[in-house]
């Protein structure tokens, strides 16, 4: 036999003193602490004075019966989680269903068989202990997560301004050098070229860092429910055109073609226009980023009765079933790698998913490894 959960406090409720004594002795002999109560009212008073770990509750009692006591305990958030085991005579079995309905976890029949009583008590104490531990860990985890998010938020926020300054100064240097009068001297040309190259790289890198920091800030803001959305009727046709035009230069650099198949009539959805651009840019830029050079990308706009879909289909490497389960998680950098040296933080789709869901939409991916991927966003129609 395992040792009992020492010092567990058990409330025993029965209007028959003899039963209280018998059960009390069995439990005390096993090392438990026992709190006896002779009526329903008495039981509720005891519970308020000290929360027990488990309650053994007589089903039939005068005045307030066990069912009513149990109902009240389960209605109170403070006592809700205490397991209740009913004590019943074998001729009261028909009440048992009600007992379970009001929230009991088990029952023991009178006259008591001590080993059975102890086994049930131990099981439910262990279960409660395990449940309490899980809840405690859960609370601790969400506290730590909150702390981590706060730290990330502060770090990202404090990094954004200096990075912005670096980007700005790099732009200034590039402009200054570009506007200097050309000199015929060979060393001067060499120096000017080197300065331009290095400053160009500083500019590119710091811009990428600003984007990363902005992604982190976005992810945090959404997670904390601090993202402000301005939902309005938004025509997706021009929005998609705008997104595709910004993605065309990087696609062309990889000899990729982006095709748009859309309806000629306005297709209005209820969405935040700026956030919608961000969502679609993420999907189209992923198609460009993960497809090999020379492939084609198809963007389709489809209208249904209640909703509007945007599909972004690529001819890239596709995703395995396992990768698909991780796709919308944070920092998911999966098997597919950028094909043109682009940057990847694995945050884009996690932000997309949160943004889409905040606007009452859905986003998912349909893909088979080796056969390209299709990302589908569904917006509620305006
Ligand atoms: N169209 C696609 N085809 C194949 N794999 C993809 C595709 N889009 C995304 N993935 C995979 O999913 C991962 C997560 O994508 P996600 O957009 O969240 O992040 P990312 O592109 O790596 O970085 P960023 O934060 O810059 O968007 C990618 O690293 C890539 O492995
Ligand atoms: Mg991405």
């Amino acid at each position: 036999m395992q040792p009992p959960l020492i010092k567990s406090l058990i409330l025993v409720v029965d209007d028959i003193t003899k039963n209280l004594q018998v059960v009390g002795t069995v439990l005390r002999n096993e090392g438990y602490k026992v709190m006896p109560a002779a009526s329903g009212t008495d039981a509720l008073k005891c519970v308020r004075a000290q929360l027990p770990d488990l309650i053994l509750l007589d089903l039939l009692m005068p005045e307030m019966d066990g069912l009513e006591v149990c109902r009240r305990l389960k209605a109170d958030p403070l006592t809700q989680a205490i397991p209740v085991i009913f004590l019943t005579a074998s001729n009261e079995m028909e009440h048992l269903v009600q007992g379970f309905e009001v929230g009991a976890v088990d029952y023991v029949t009178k006259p008591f068989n001590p080993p059975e009583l102890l086994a049930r008590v131990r099981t439910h104490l262990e279960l409660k202990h395990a449940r309490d531990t899980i809840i405690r860990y859960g609370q601790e985890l969400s506290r730590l997560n909150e702390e981590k998010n706060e730290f990330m938020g502060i770090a990202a926020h404090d990094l954004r301004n200096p990075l912005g300054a670096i980007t700005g100064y790099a732009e200034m240097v590039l402009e200054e050098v570009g506007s200097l009068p050309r000199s015929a001297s060979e060393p001067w040309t060499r120096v000017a070229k080197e300065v331009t190259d290095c400053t160009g790289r500083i500019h590119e890198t710091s811009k990428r860092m600003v984007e990363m920091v902005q992604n982190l800030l976005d992810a945090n803001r959404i997670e904390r429910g601090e993202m402000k959305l301005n939902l309005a009727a938004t025509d997706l046709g021009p929005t998609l055109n705008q997104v595709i035009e910004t993605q065309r230069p990087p696609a062309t650099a990889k000899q990729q073609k982006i095709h748009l198949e859309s309806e000629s009539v306005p297709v209005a959805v209820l969405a935040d226009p700026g956030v919608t651009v961000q969502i679609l840019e993420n999907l189209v830029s992923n198609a460009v980023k993960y497809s090999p050079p020379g492939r084609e990308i198809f963007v389709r706009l489809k209208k249904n009765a209640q909703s509007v879909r945007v599909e972004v289909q690529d001819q890239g490497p596709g995703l395995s079933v396992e990768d698909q389960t991780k796709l919308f998680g944070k920092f998911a950098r999966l098997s597919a790698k950028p094909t043109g040296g682009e940057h990847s933080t694995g945050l884009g789709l996690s932000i997309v998913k949160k943004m889409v869901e905040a606007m009452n939409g859905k986003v998912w991916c349909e893909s088979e490894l080796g056969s390209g991927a299709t990302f589908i966003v569904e917006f509620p129609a305006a």
Side-chain angles (χ1 to χ4, degrees):
M1 262 240 200
Q2 292 166 18
L5 288 155
I6 314 163
K7 290 194 185 143
S8 289
L9 176 65
I10 302 176
L11 171 67
V12 186
V13 193
D14 204 311
D15 57 314
I16 299 167
T17 321
K18 183 85 179 69
N19 284 345
L20 281 183
Q21 282 165 354
V22 173
V23 176
T25 309
V26 170
L27 294 174
R28 280 196 198 91
N29 285 348
E30 202 66 11
Y32 296 115
K33 286 196 285 179
V34 177
M35 183 159 57
S39 70
T41 324
D42 206 10
L44 293 174
K45 265 192 216 144
C46 288
V47 168
R48 243 167 266 135
Q50 193 181 0
L51 282 183
D53 297 295
L54 180 97
I55 301 175
L56 292 173
L57 182 57
D58 188 16
L59 193 60
L60 290 192
M61 291 184 289
E63 293 168 48
M64 194 190 294
D65 68 1
L67 291 174
E68 182 53 27
V69 177
C70 189
R71 228 174 261 127
R72 293 193 189 190
L73 289 169
K74 295 296 161 188
D76 183 347
L78 200 69
T79 54
Q80 217 160 47
I82 307 171
V84 173
I85 299 180
F86 272 121
L87 306 174
T88 66
S90 47
N91 60 354
E92 297 164 7
M93 296 301 270
E94 76 270 20
H95 296 288
L96 269 181
V97 177
Q98 285 173 283
F100 284 116
E101 274 169 9
V102 296
V105 290
D106 208 348
Y107 68 94
V108 183
T109 43
K110 299 187 231 180
F112 304 113
N113 168 10
E116 184 197 335
L117 175 74
L118 288 172
R120 290 186 195 260
V121 163
R122 183 196 312 280
T123 302
H124 289 292
L125 281 175
E126 278 171 1
L127 275 176
K128 175 168 189 286
H129 184 68
R131 215 171 30 234
D132 289 350
T133 310
I134 291 171
I135 292 172
R136 231 184 14 255
Y137 282 158
Q139 287 166 342
E140 182 63 3
L141 271 181
S142 56
R143 191 187 63 76
L144 287 173
N145 189 42
E146 187 55 30
E147 218 168 76
K148 179 217 68 186
N149 280 349
E150 205 165 299
F151 167 74
M152 246 171 52
I154 293 170
H157 186 264
D158 290 356
L159 281 173
R160 189 171 51 178
N161 290 343
L163 283 172
I166 294 173
T167 318
Y169 281 121
E171 264 163 31
M172 257 169 60
V173 173
L174 285 173
E175 263 173 40
E176 292 281 326
V177 176
S179 65
L180 285 176
R182 306 246 161 219
S183 158
S185 89
E186 197 266 330
W188 163 247
T189 316
R190 192 169 44 79
V191 170
K193 186 178 174 314
E194 247 170 55
V195 169
T196 310
D197 283 356
C198 291
T199 315
R201 251 173 271 151
I202 292 173
H203 184 240
E204 263 316 297
T205 315
S206 56
K207 236 175 64 186
R208 217 165 63 202
M209 285 175 81
V210 170
E211 272 167 29
M212 260 166 70
V213 160
Q214 192 55 48
N215 268 349
L216 282 173
L217 285 173
D218 281 348
N220 245 7
R221 207 150 33 101
I222 296 171
E223 215 156 85
R224 291 160 158 241
E226 289 168 6
M227 186 178 54
K228 289 210 179 64
L229 288 172
N230 294 314
L231 296 184
T234 308
D235 187 1
L236 277 191
T239 312
L240 265 180
N241 262 319
Q242 177 198 336
V243 168
I244 290 174
E245 285 325 307
T246 50
Q247 293 304 315
R248 234 185 259 289
T252 308
K254 294 168 89 174
Q255 300 91 47
Q256 295 165 341
K257 283 208 177 77
I258 309 180
H259 308 278
L260 173 62
E261 298 170 15
S262 114
E263 325 220 354
S264 45
V265 291
V267 182
V269 295
L270 191 62
D272 181 304
V275 173
T276 307
V277 168
Q278 215 175 325
I279 291 168
L280 298 171
E281 253 174 21
N282 258 298
L283 298 182
V284 181
S285 73
N286 273 356
V288 173
K289 198 196 296 194
Y290 297 105
S291 296
R295 303 293 167 89
E296 311 206 18
I297 295 160
F298 298 90
V299 182
R300 300 188 191 92
L301 181 56
K302 293 180 175 173
K303 194 175 173 187
N304 299 322
Q306 306 290 327
S307 62
V308 174
R309 280 185 180 191
V310 177
E311 292 181 5
V312 180
Q313 184 185 7
D314 64 45
Q315 300 173 332
L319 292 120
S320 67
V321 176
E322 204 204 330
D323 271 4
Q324 286 181 46
T325 61
K326 302 179 189 153
L327 192 57
F328 293 98
K330 257 167 129 183
F331 304 108
R333 279 190 283 187
L334 307 172
S335 320
K337 299 285 178 272
T339 55
E342 297 96 332
H343 190 71
S344 152
T345 53
L347 271 175
L349 288 175
S350 71
I351 296 174
V352 162
K353 187 169 164 66
K354 286 179 184 142
M355 286 176 166
V356 170
E357 285 174 358
M359 299 197 295
N360 308 312
K362 278 192 279 190
V363 58
W364 68 97
C365 167
E366 291 172 5
S367 175
E368 246 177 68
L369 191 59
S371 316
T374 305
F375 284 81
I376 302 151
V377 203
E378 203 171 75
F379 295 95

